[in-house]
Amino acid sequence: MLDFLKILAGNVFKGPSTDGFPFTQAHTPRRFRGKVHLNPALCVGCTICRHVCAGGAIHIAERPDGSGYDYTLWHNTCALCGLCQHYCPTGALSTSGDWHNAHPQSEKYQWCERHFVPFLSCDGCGAPLRPLPPALTGRIYADNHVDAARLMRLCPRCRQIETAMHAREASHEAQSGS
Amino acid sequence: MSGGATAKTYTLPVGPVHVALEEPMYFRLDVEGEIVRGVELGAGHVHRGMEALALRRTLFQNIVLTERVCSLCSNSHPYTYCMAVENLAGMTVPERAQVLRVIAEEIKRISSHLFNVAVLAHIIGFKSLFMHVMEVREIMQDIKETVYGNRMDLAANCIGGVRYDLDEELTGYLLHGLDSVRGQVEGVHKIYSSDRMLLRRSRGVGVLGAADARELGVVGPVARGSGLELDVRHNAPYGGYALLGVEPVVERDGDVHSRAMVRLREIFVSIELIRRCVRELPGGPTTVLLPEIPAGEALARSEAPRGELVYFLRTDGTDVPNRLKWRVPSYMNWEALGRMMRDCRVSDIALIVNSIDPCISCTER
């Protein structure tokens, strides 16, 4: 009993150990898994996030006119598991330290993140395409001496043609040079 | 019940909703005065159909589903599930990931054991001790929130490795937190092994002898409290435990007190294990690339805070499992309640139920 009295006495001097929230800010660690955010500039529409999302909180729908796709992330359906962040190849999805998820009933259909991600048209044929973000392109073409920025503005078909043309030119140059 | 006739026999229902039970369970007790003569268990109040849900989700989504089977062993479920998938696909998890998995598992074990030991104090009416142990556990909760991002669901596992890594700052925070928990748990251990009130309520109560324990096939701290050296981490080392080696903690008396002492002593073992993991953390990647998951069957087992956890997985070549089944430790342990409660006092029922650390939401899922 004496051992416990010591702890009690210690606690009296220590004071309360609870946070003063909402009157003071509650401490939120750096890695806290709060509300998920999408950076539309990095999204390439690969849909792996939708595939792994446990709650089915992510909707990706292409617009019928081919101008791009709508990305919707429903915060209330999100389980805050962080799988989308883990599997996203471009780092477009991230969990934030924002855990303030209380909202009035009237706002529940707005409690989501909506983004429109536009398609560009291919420089060669005009087909709609979603270019890879520069960081990823740099990684893919790290060992290649090609104009990656130009290639990324082409659809896969035009890219093939462009690369073939390049190869032909290079071999012509090599032949005339020798 | 009237007239103070102590020898009169009557039936007493306890639960499914009862102040002394943490989760819904129904006991139909045959009582003679103050003494329990017969116990009948009823279950099924928190069945959520999770095994059926798992068949409608992809292998990825099931990591999250299994993490939400139960909050106290919420790391053991996805860990064992991921091991089953990895066994099926013949994947080799990198050593760094295996050791990081052990750290996550042991952090959860410490919190889980502290919670159970705290509830023991709560049930016998020692509320201030309950609050104190819960406050010690709060240090572990802070560690989980800081290192993993959530107080209960760590989201540490993925198929083929882990989803988190430790940096220098977090390692320092983790070790500092463990140091203060260790100091506090030393004090708590001293109180639990010497406080007269605690000893009077927990010694010789809910006894399960070694022979009974073996016959009923109990697992985890219940088995170890009855003198059986049963610990999957020791008997069939898996993942990082094969690299580290764990000695099981055993107590001989088989009563409520023994089981509490096993849990308290295991906290020290876990702290030592995490320290070793941090010291010997190998370098390298934390995940491997996912191969195609073939059609087939696989099994994985691990030592959850409550005992042996088994996962069975059957796939048909798609990424949605054909069957996912898990056998949880509480399923083995609650059968022993009838034996433990034989001839106990009505006032000890909640204490004995808590001593097997039952996880009803795991068992009924």
Side-chain angles (χ1 to χ4, degrees):
Chain A
M1 203 65 208
L2 201 70
D3 289 318
F4 193 73
L5 287 176
K6 266 190 242 164
I7 290 170
L8 274 185
N11 282 346
V12 169
F13 288 108
K14 222 168 64 184
S17 44
T18 43
D19 273 345
F21 188 80
F23 305 108
T24 59
Q25 270 305 311
H27 170 67
T28 309
R30 180 166 52 87
R31 278 197 185 174
F32 187 82
R33 286 200 315 279
K35 250 191 209 163
V36 179
H37 291 305
L38 173 82
N39 179 356
L42 294 177
C43 178
V44 291
C46 69
T47 68
I48 184 72
C49 50
R50 185 176 65 186
H51 183 70
V52 299
C53 179
I58 294 170
H59 289 257
I60 300 171
E62 222 171 274
R63 288 201 178 170
D65 60 0
S67 60
Y69 58 89
D70 288 299
Y71 191 106
T72 318
L73 201 160
W74 292 93
H75 295 307
N76 280 345
T77 320
C78 172
L80 301 174
C81 66
L83 269 185
C84 55
Q85 181 188 22
H86 178 71
Y87 285 108
C88 180
T90 62
L93 283 155
S94 56
T95 51
S96 67
D98 181 7
W99 45 269
H100 299 280
N101 235 339
H103 57 87
Q105 172 80 354
S106 59
E107 279 174 25
K108 74 174 176 186
Y109 294 120
Q110 281 83 51
W111 205 252
C112 61
E113 210 172 289
R114 288 180 208 271
H115 295 283
F116 172 64
V117 183
F119 285 143
L120 298 182
S121 47
C122 166
D123 275 3
C125 65
L129 79 121
R130 176 72 193 151
L132 292 183
L136 199 64
T137 320
R139 249 165 57 202
I140 294 170
Y141 290 101
D143 305 323
N144 261 329
H145 301 290
V146 290
D147 183 4
R150 155 120 185 103
L151 279 186
M152 282 305 109
R153 289 197 301 272
L154 296 173
C155 70
R157 217 181 103 82
C158 292
R159 216 181 300 156
Q160 264 181 338
I161 297 170
E162 174 100 354
T163 315
M165 300 279 271
H166 252 292
R168 206 175 63 174
E169 267 169 40
S171 70
H172 271 297
E173 268 170 38
Q175 273 174 7
S176 56
S178 63
Chain B
M1 275 172 81
S2 57
T6 49
K8 206 172 161 192
T9 309
Y10 59 96
T11 308
L12 180 74
V14 174
V17 181
H18 192 271
V19 280
L21 298 177
E22 302 298 322
E23 280 187 279
M25 202 164 176
Y26 176 71
F27 298 96
R28 194 171 159 277
L29 307 167
D30 291 322
V31 178
E32 198 180 292
E34 260 287 285
I35 308 298
V36 176
R37 295 296 183 207
V39 186
E40 222 177 89
L41 268 85
H45 304 95
V46 279
H47 174 67
R48 291 156 290 164
M50 289 185 108
E51 286 188 357
L53 275 178
L55 306 188
R56 312 172 114 242
R57 269 144 225 269
T58 64
L59 291 166
F60 300 104
Q61 292 172 318
N62 280 331
I63 305 171
V64 180
L65 181 73
T66 50
E67 184 141 28
R68 279 146 183 82
V69 171
C70 138
S71 63
L72 287 165
C73 27
S74 69
N75 191 62
S76 303
H77 285 276
Y79 181 13
T80 321
Y81 163 71
C82 285
M83 280 200 294
V85 180
E86 287 151 11
N87 288 346
L88 183 67
M91 298 165 75
T92 313
V93 179
E95 271 192 13
R96 187 177 179 85
Q98 290 190 350
V99 174
L100 285 169
R101 278 179 172 181
V102 171
I103 295 177
E105 186 76 346
E106 295 307 315
I107 286 177
K108 286 292 290 186
R109 192 185 313 277
I110 297 172
S111 322
S112 175
H113 282 354
L114 278 172
F115 184 81
N116 176 261
V117 168
V119 173
L120 166 72
H122 166 71
I123 288 171
I124 66 167
F126 201 158
K127 304 285 176 189
S128 41
L129 180 61
F130 163 70
M131 295 299 275
H132 174 65
V133 181
M134 288 301 271
E135 204 184 331
V136 176
R137 175 175 171 270
E138 204 57 30
I139 306 172
M140 294 311 296
Q141 299 298 89
D142 285 344
I143 288 177
K144 289 190 273 180
E145 195 173 32
T146 307
V147 178
Y148 301 93
N150 192 285
R151 285 164 56 91
M152 293 313 276
D153 293 333
L154 305 187
N157 295 281
C158 65
I159 299 166
V162 285
R163 288 196 256 155
Y164 81 106
D165 207 349
L166 284 176
D167 58 22
E168 212 169 293
E169 186 197 338
L170 286 173
T171 308
Y173 180 85
L174 170 65
L175 290 178
H176 178 76
L178 287 180
D179 283 343
S180 53
V181 168
R182 195 189 156 84
Q184 298 275 5
V185 175
E186 268 166 14
V188 171
H189 181 265
K190 202 171 156 200
I191 294 168
Y192 275 79
S193 47
S194 64
D195 188 87
R196 275 174 51 212
M197 187 164 87
L198 259 162
L199 292 180
R200 274 200 352 233
R201 282 301 305 275
S202 62
R203 273 222 178 124
V205 173
V207 178
L208 184 74
D212 280 347
R214 200 170 281 283
E215 187 197 324
L216 289 160
V218 294
V219 290
V222 179
R224 295 195 285 278
S226 295
L228 302 187
E229 279 196 19
L230 278 182
D231 191 324
V232 185
R233 295 174 294 168
H234 174 75
N235 302 120
Y238 52 94
Y241 295 103
L243 308 168
L244 294 154
V246 186
E247 276 307 305
V249 172
V250 174
E251 293 272 338
R252 304 278 160 202
D253 294 341
D255 54 8
V256 170
H257 186 250
S258 278
R259 295 190 273 275
M261 290 322 262
V262 166
R263 293 195 179 97
L264 278 171
R265 282 173 52 205
E266 277 187 1
I267 293 172
F268 298 121
V269 175
S270 293
I271 292 176
E272 249 349 280
L273 211 55
I274 298 172
R275 282 186 183 155
R276 265 187 65 198
C277 285
V278 169
R279 247 192 339 261
E280 299 168 15
L281 190 62
T286 52
T287 48
V288 284
L289 281 177
L290 204 63
E292 204 164 295
I293 311 289
E297 294 181 336
L299 202 70
R301 59 177 182 155
S302 73
E303 181 76 18
R306 283 154 193 75
E308 184 192 45
L309 174 66
V310 185
Y311 262 76
F312 167 78
L313 171 72
R314 190 170 65 214
T315 54
D316 53 8
T318 67
D319 68 348
V320 177
N322 194 276
R323 178 83 170 103
L324 183 63
K325 187 204 160 43
W326 51 101
R327 210 245 22 227
V328 303
S330 295
Y331 183 67
M332 300 309 291
N333 288 342
W334 74 15
E335 229 12 78
L337 281 176
R339 205 68 64 91
M340 291 176 188
M341 284 184 188
R342 192 177 288 166
D343 300 335
C344 80
R345 282 173 305 175
V346 172
S347 55
D348 288 334
I349 289 167
L351 199 58
I352 295 171
V353 173
N354 177 65
S355 78
I356 70 158
D357 202 359
C359 185
I360 314 294
S361 42
C362 276
T363 318
E364 297 176 355
R365 59 231 176 215

